[in-house]
Amino acid sequence: MNALTFTLKNALKFSVNCSALTPNSLDNKSITDVANIKVTYGNNTVPVSDLFDITGSDATHIVFKNASNKLDYIGAHMSSGNITIEGNAGSYLGFTMKSGEIHCTGSAESYAACNMVNGLLKIDANVGDFVGAGSEGLRKGMRGGTVIIKGNAGDRVGDQMRRGLILIEGNAGDYCGSRMIAGTIGVLGNVGAYTAFNMHRGTLLLKNAPSLHSTVQDCGTHTLPYLSLLFKSFKKYNTQFSQLNSQRVQRFVGDAAYKGNGEVLVLNAQ
Amino acid sequence: MLLNNIQIDDTFAEAFNMRGARVIITAQNLKWAYHAANAMTGFATSVIGCGVEAGIERELTIEETPDGRPGVSILMFAMGSKVLMQQLETRMGQCILTCPTAAAFSGIDGEDKISLGKHLRYFGDGFQTSKLIDGKRYWRIPVMDGEFITEETTSMVRAIGGGNFLILATSQPAALAAAEVAIEAMKKVPNVIMPFPGGVVRSGSKVGSKYKTMFASTNDAFCPTLKGATNTELSPEIESVMEIVIDGLTFEDIALSMKVGIEAICNLGADSGVKRISAGNYGGKLGPHLFKLHDILNGSNS
């Protein structure tokens, strides 16, 4: 069986809510049923067939072709299967994702992996703000799963993140790990201002030394054996993080302004 | 049954149900892993007086340990889950937490999860941090040498304790030398431990006593100095008896271990001074698992 493929017919004027197009929600549906599913397009609802050419029948693997950054909520609430996005994705990619795998070959807009519970989200290019954060009104962000970003990430990566792993091979913006409750964020590039702002717990693993505010305290340079466990868990991902092996890090703890016990570990210690 | 002119008695070892757990202990090098493991498995020869029976199962290579450091695996057995949990936590706190560079991880998966470092984390006084890595929760407790790492839980599985056999020889040195040979061979069998000092026990016991407060007492039928004073099991030329007790995760593990040990002794031949191999048979009072020596050696045990 071929993957169930949605090929975008034309460039989109408005955003489309793709949350209905997940492997678990399309399981056992015929092509006709799928074509008739109504999706929100701007202020209207339209059948899927108005926007996409639909081919294939294997709903456990869904492919979006010619994808654009107006395709929001791809993989939202997804609980099984795989989604491949050939191109860019819109906002809320993998929103509240519970299981399965999403692979975006392009960039994604803001709120990727927002409220994510479990599963794997891979983005080959850049991503917007609030990766792995909580959605509006929630006091907890990502609660589990793994996010791998090959490019750069925007501001507020892991804002209020509760659990899980975010690996960014490029740079991250301002307020990386802000209000973080637990979990791990790795950044191989540079990070912006106010890293670990109001951080409660959790780990920021940085390759390069950040400019930290005064309430994140330097605890010195140490060899931390637990990093071998962490690095071993990275091996299964095809990422530059798989190459890490030094357990020697400079450790900062904070945010003291928040009575926080979060840690910032810098691999390239000065 | 004769094996290399050594008589194998037509009897059986009688074993009982236990609860078991495996812990992997790693350290900067094997020397310190052994320091931690020896402390953790110390005073753990018999449930009669120690609460648990524990021993080092084997050394682990750096490829086999979770954190890529040298390590050893230990097995702990107890008569009930409550005792096992209590002993495990106590020994973790006093023997592993205190040992320089040591870390502890679960070495077995099962449905019954028990605490490994779950409560020990409070030693961190609020500075402890947890990490959930690949679905397993680890605790990092700041200590004076750096950080103590422990997995939050391990598993408790159903196990068997009290597998045994007796080595009957013409002298004490002969009995002990044969026991040492058996232990060396049995150490290579996975999933079992021989919890007594050096793997050997010289004070085998029977169930019950003439004294009301004692529920076990010396196995007088196998005491060579009592040949004329009790209903002895020993012939005139036997001057010393050594026992090897085996705890294991399954019946098959213990049976294999017994087979390996007995065969190693029999390979020495009767000239070694060993004349008979027997087993602790308590007439069905001790436990439901019967390890029949002849069946084990014939490979037909079940």
Side-chain angles (χ1 to χ4, degrees):
Chain A
M1 285 199 296
N2 294 326
L4 181 59
T5 304
F6 297 93
T7 307
L8 198 59
K9 289 178 176 175
N10 301 302
L12 296 168
K13 280 177 75 176
F14 310 110
S15 292
V16 179
N17 185 329
C18 298
S19 61
L21 308 180
T22 60
N24 45 293
S25 58
L26 298 185
D27 191 27
N28 294 325
K29 281 192 167 61
S30 67
I31 291 264
T32 313
D33 291 340
V34 173
N36 290 331
I37 290 173
K38 297 280 181 59
V39 292
T40 305
Y41 178 51
N43 290 329
N44 300 313
T45 55
V46 297
V48 169
S49 56
D50 281 10
L51 303 173
F52 298 97
D53 288 324
I54 305 167
T55 56
S57 56
D58 181 9
T60 61
H61 184 196
I62 291 175
V63 178
F64 289 91
K65 288 190 172 177
N66 296 340
S68 89
N69 63 356
K70 297 225 181 300
L71 298 179
D72 292 346
Y73 289 100
I74 294 177
H77 308 289
M78 169 175 168
S79 58
S80 65
N82 291 278
I83 294 178
T84 303
I85 303 153
E86 295 182 3
N88 299 327
S91 299
Y92 294 97
L93 173 64
F95 174 76
T96 318
M97 178 181 178
K98 294 181 176 69
S99 186
E101 188 175 327
I102 299 175
H103 180 200
C104 175
T105 63
S107 295
E109 295 294 317
S110 297
Y111 291 102
C114 185
N115 298 0
M116 184 172 176
V117 178
N118 211 336
L120 174 63
L121 171 58
K122 293 190 287 188
I123 298 168
D124 287 351
N126 303 323
V127 66
D129 300 337
F130 290 98
V131 177
S135 59
E136 301 90 330
L138 283 186
R139 297 180 68 184
K140 285 177 188 170
M142 180 174 167
R143 284 173 283 156
T146 301
V147 181
I148 296 170
I149 298 157
K150 298 280 187 185
N152 303 322
D155 296 342
R156 299 268 181 185
V157 172
D159 183 58
Q160 298 192 95
M161 177 177 176
R162 176 66 184 83
R163 200 178 291 123
L165 176 65
I166 300 175
L167 299 176
I168 301 164
E169 292 188 7
N171 303 321
D174 296 341
Y175 293 96
C176 181
S178 60
R179 304 189 292 176
M180 191 170 168
I181 302 164
T184 303
I185 299 173
V187 183
L188 294 183
N190 297 314
V191 291
Y194 293 107
T195 294
F197 179 82
N198 273 8
M199 189 175 179
H200 188 193
R201 281 180 179 267
T203 303
L204 285 180
L205 180 67
L206 308 179
K207 191 163 186 184
N208 300 319
S211 173
L212 294 168
H213 48 290
S214 58
T215 50
V216 182
Q217 302 287 323
D218 186 1
C219 293
T221 303
H222 305 280
T223 301
L224 298 181
Y226 101 91
L227 287 175
S228 67
L229 296 167
L230 195 64
F231 295 160
K232 203 171 174 181
S233 74
F234 295 165
K235 296 282 183 198
K236 60 180 175 287
Y237 305 120
N238 178 24
T239 158
Q240 291 176 38
F241 284 88
S242 313
Q243 314 301 321
L244 296 178
N245 54 24
S246 171
Q247 296 166 31
R248 191 85 182 145
V249 289
Q250 188 170 3
R251 185 170 192 261
F252 299 85
V253 168
D255 185 344
Y258 192 61
K259 293 184 181 174
N261 197 22
E263 66 178 356
V264 181
L265 305 179
V266 182
L267 289 160
N268 288 347
Q270 299 301 307
Chain B
M1 180 185 198
L2 280 177
L3 208 60
N4 213 8
N5 285 326
I6 294 174
Q7 183 189 320
I8 311 295
D9 285 1
D10 186 10
T11 185
F12 55 85
E14 200 174 325
F16 42 87
N17 289 319
M18 297 188 93
R19 302 284 264 168
R22 181 189 279 123
V23 179
I24 293 172
I25 298 167
T26 67
Q28 180 178 282
N29 52 40
L30 265 180
K31 174 183 162 184
W32 284 100
Y34 268 108
H35 279 315
N38 286 330
M40 183 132 173
T41 58
F43 188 58
T45 55
S46 169
V47 290
I48 293 172
C50 310
V52 288
E53 298 180 6
I56 294 173
E57 184 188 17
R58 67 185 182 97
E59 281 180 18
L60 300 171
T61 63
I62 57 172
E63 288 79 22
E64 292 176 295
T65 58
D67 62 355
R69 300 193 300 170
V72 295
S73 67
I74 66 162
L75 289 170
M76 289 180 70
F77 298 90
M79 298 300 285
S81 51
K82 193 176 172 186
V83 179
L84 183 62
M85 287 189 278
Q86 182 209 355
Q87 287 280 339
L88 185 57
E89 287 204 307
T90 305
R91 287 164 187 262
M92 278 287 292
Q94 298 304 310
C95 308
I96 309 300
L97 171 67
T98 56
C99 181
T101 76
F105 304 95
S106 169
I108 196 164
D109 281 331
E111 288 181 1
D112 293 339
K113 297 288 183 196
I114 56 173
S115 166
L116 191 64
K118 189 175 181 179
H119 300 120
L120 202 56
R121 73 178 194 257
Y122 295 113
F123 183 76
D125 200 25
F127 294 104
Q128 72 274 17
T129 53
S130 78
K131 270 286 158 220
L132 192 64
I133 299 172
D134 282 340
K136 293 179 177 174
R137 183 171 296 286
Y138 301 90
W139 284 98
R140 301 164 51 200
I141 302 167
V143 284
M144 295 196 306
D145 81 340
E147 278 188 345
F148 168 57
I149 312 293
T150 176
E151 204 168 326
E152 180 169 82
T153 58
T154 184
S155 293
M156 180 168 55
V157 296
R158 297 198 179 280
I160 297 172
N164 69 80
F165 61 89
L166 305 174
I167 306 158
L168 287 68
T170 53
S171 71
Q172 194 180 74
L176 190 56
E180 287 178 4
V181 168
I183 289 295
E184 281 309 306
M186 294 165 77
K187 277 183 179 174
K188 295 174 182 141
V189 178
N191 304 332
V192 296
I193 55 160
M194 285 65 74
F196 284 95
V200 188
V201 52
R202 58 100 174 258
S203 61
S205 58
K206 67 175 183 291
V207 178
S209 164
K210 68 181 281 189
Y211 303 107
K212 280 190 287 187
T213 53
M214 300 283 286
F215 53 90
S217 60
T218 190
N219 195 354
D220 53 273
F222 284 91
C223 291
T225 57
L226 297 178
K227 272 185 236 173
T230 190
N231 189 14
T232 188
E233 290 277 344
L234 306 180
S235 51
E237 79 276 19
I238 302 300
E239 278 190 21
S240 184
V241 179
M242 299 289 176
E243 181 177 359
I244 293 180
V245 173
I246 308 114
D247 298 332
L249 297 181
T250 66
F251 184 95
E252 290 72 24
D253 293 326
I254 293 176
L256 175 61
S257 174
M258 289 174 66
K259 181 176 174 16
V260 166
I262 293 170
E263 285 178 346
I265 292 170
C266 291
N267 285 340
L268 299 173
D271 291 344
S272 65
V274 178
K275 298 299 177 188
R276 277 172 61 200
I277 300 291
S278 191
N281 171 351
Y282 304 97
K285 292 183 203 166
L286 192 64
H289 304 288
L290 308 182
F291 293 91
K292 297 175 182 169
L293 298 187
H294 287 190
D295 288 353
I296 285 172
L297 292 168
N298 289 329
S300 57
N301 58 292
S302 61

